[in-house]
Amino acid sequence: MKTLILIPAYNEAENIERVVDHLEADYPQYDYIVINDGSKDATAEICRRRGFNLLDLPVNLGLAGAFQTGMRYAYLHGYDCAVQFDGDGQHNPQFIADMIEAMESKEADIVIGSRFVTGKKPASLRMFGNNLIQFAIKLTTGKTIKDPTSGMRMFNRKMIARFATNINHGPEPDTVSYLIRCGAKVCEVQAEMNERIAGESYLNATKAIQYMMRMCMSIIFIQWFRKKEA
């Protein structure tokens, strides 16, 4: 499958070289594109200096806007699948092959690189939020997604087209939940995540709680009552 790795990046100057160098050196079978989301640091400058494949947004659009820009690129260039991939080094490209195999063998529209197919969830505030979102998806779709907050997701050609042409679709659990209700087939494969080496996550404790509440409200009170598209 012709595969594109989408790397939305906001202020990832401390990480982006390591991430892309690893992809170029060890996984040349996959194409990639860095979507610089209006970074205030040297992310774009580093990518240009190193000759990385780059889409440079002049302003910060947020994760949804950067991701949709990447999906539009994948759509226009005829990719069979696109992989949402963090620019901070937490995602492992070694699991992309397993995700492709699952997409083909199970005819899945979306494949999630999950930490908890076989792994056990730790007891933490973040995992409590993960469990709440899992419950909300189960309540509204009947589908159990063990790691709904995983940011490593693969989308097939049909989903690429949908994300590229629908401004309301962002790369978040509420959209995945809605797409399940619209008939999308979602599966998970076991994956391992790395710890962030440099820089800071945008999700501090306060933002993590806000994110959890926003996702649950969207899934239960908005997405559940939203009319499904044809």
Side-chain angles (χ1 to χ4, degrees):
M1 298 177 75
K2 185 180 178 184
T3 302
L4 178 67
I5 300 174
L6 307 178
I7 312 174
Y10 179 68
N11 292 344
E12 293 291 359
E14 297 179 85
N15 297 303
I16 198 65
E17 281 188 284
R18 184 178 69 259
V19 170
V20 176
D21 283 344
H22 184 35
L23 290 174
E24 289 188 336
D26 299 328
Y27 300 93
Q29 67 270 37
Y30 309 129
D31 294 341
Y32 74 88
I33 189 78
V34 178
I35 306 99
N36 176 52
D37 189 22
S39 295
K40 298 177 181 179
D41 66 2
T43 299
E45 178 185 342
I46 290 169
C47 290
R48 286 192 291 266
R49 173 171 53 81
R50 292 293 312 277
F52 294 161
N53 300 324
L54 175 68
L55 292 174
D56 192 11
L57 301 179
V59 295
N60 178 250
L61 298 181
L63 176 59
F67 174 76
Q68 288 174 341
T69 299
M71 290 294 257
R72 182 70 176 171
Y73 180 94
Y75 176 66
L76 293 175
H77 289 80
Y79 282 91
D80 298 311
C81 63
V83 184
Q84 179 186 351
F85 199 84
D86 282 356
D88 58 11
Q90 293 190 75
H91 292 161
N92 284 318
Q94 71 188 75
F95 297 105
I96 292 176
D98 293 338
M99 296 171 77
I100 292 174
E101 193 280 329
M103 178 166 283
E104 292 180 326
S105 64
K106 298 182 180 180
E107 298 182 345
D109 298 301
I110 302 171
V111 179
I112 298 172
S114 171
R115 294 161 288 182
F116 309 121
V117 173
T118 58
K120 184 178 180 181
K121 290 185 181 182
S124 68
L125 179 60
R126 181 165 292 187
M127 287 304 104
F128 174 72
N130 188 296
N131 287 332
L132 281 182
I133 295 171
Q134 177 182 325
F135 172 76
I137 293 175
K138 176 70 173 181
L139 177 67
T140 54
T141 70
K143 173 75 173 179
T144 298
I145 302 295
K146 295 182 178 181
D147 195 2
T149 61
S150 169
M152 188 175 182
R153 305 181 183 98
M154 176 178 287
F155 304 87
N156 68 3
R157 185 187 292 267
K158 182 173 68 174
M159 291 294 104
I160 290 172
R162 186 155 191 163
F163 276 85
T165 57
N166 193 319
I167 195 171
N168 294 319
H169 286 4
E172 300 290 1
D174 56 349
T175 299
V176 173
S177 176
Y178 175 68
L179 291 172
I180 292 171
R181 291 181 53 243
C182 292
K185 185 174 182 181
V186 179
C187 71
E188 296 178 89
V189 300
Q190 181 64 34
E192 296 177 4
M193 306 297 173
N194 301 317
E195 294 295 327
R196 173 186 277 269
I197 295 176
E200 295 183 2
S201 171
Y202 76 96
L203 275 181
N204 56 33
T206 300
K207 289 182 178 179
I209 293 172
Q210 292 172 344
Y211 173 84
M212 172 192 71
M213 298 304 298
R214 186 171 71 251
M215 286 297 104
C216 289
M217 290 191 64
S218 176
I219 292 167
I220 296 175
F221 297 111
I222 299 175
Q223 300 287 359
W224 200 5
F225 297 106
R226 182 180 175 189
K227 184 179 179 181
K228 293 186 292 186
E229 298 171 6

